[in-house]
Amino acid sequence: MAPLLDRIMIDPEICHGKPTIRGLRYPVETILELLSSGMTIEEILADYEDLERDDILAVLAFAARLRQVKRLESAAA
């Protein structure tokens, strides 16, 4: 799973620091929304030609990893 997760970048200068795919300005949340709307991986790849199949798999791996987080705490706390 680690090589897939290496495709997800967080850069404060890109998309306001939201996790993106390889810094391409495609937020992880956008790809998750497309998948949840019923689009297939093949349809997403056809619409976004600079994405690769492993990018979509990385998004899913990232979401699965986030789901494992049990508790979030504010940094200001």
Side-chain angles (χ1 to χ4, degrees), residues 1-70:
M1 186 182 297
L4 284 177
L5 291 176
D6 289 342
R7 291 174 171 263
I8 306 300
M9 310 255 172
I10 298 174
D11 182 339
E13 300 297 318
I14 299 173
C15 293
H16 306 286
K18 291 182 178 182
T20 60
I21 300 168
R22 293 186 287 128
L24 292 174
R25 299 189 184 276
Y26 294 122
V28 166
E29 67 184 285
T30 299
I31 303 305
L32 287 172
E33 288 170 359
L34 294 174
L35 289 167
S36 69
S37 74
M39 285 184 76
T40 65
I41 291 174
E42 291 74 23
E43 290 170 331
I44 294 170
L45 294 175
D47 285 352
Y48 301 92
E49 295 177 1
D50 47 350
L51 291 181
E52 301 169 1
R53 182 174 188 79
D54 279 351
D55 294 329
I56 308 301
L57 297 178
V59 165
L60 293 171
F62 185 79
R65 180 64 57 96
L66 282 179
R67 176 58 189 100
Q68 294 172 353
V69 173
K70 302 286 187 224

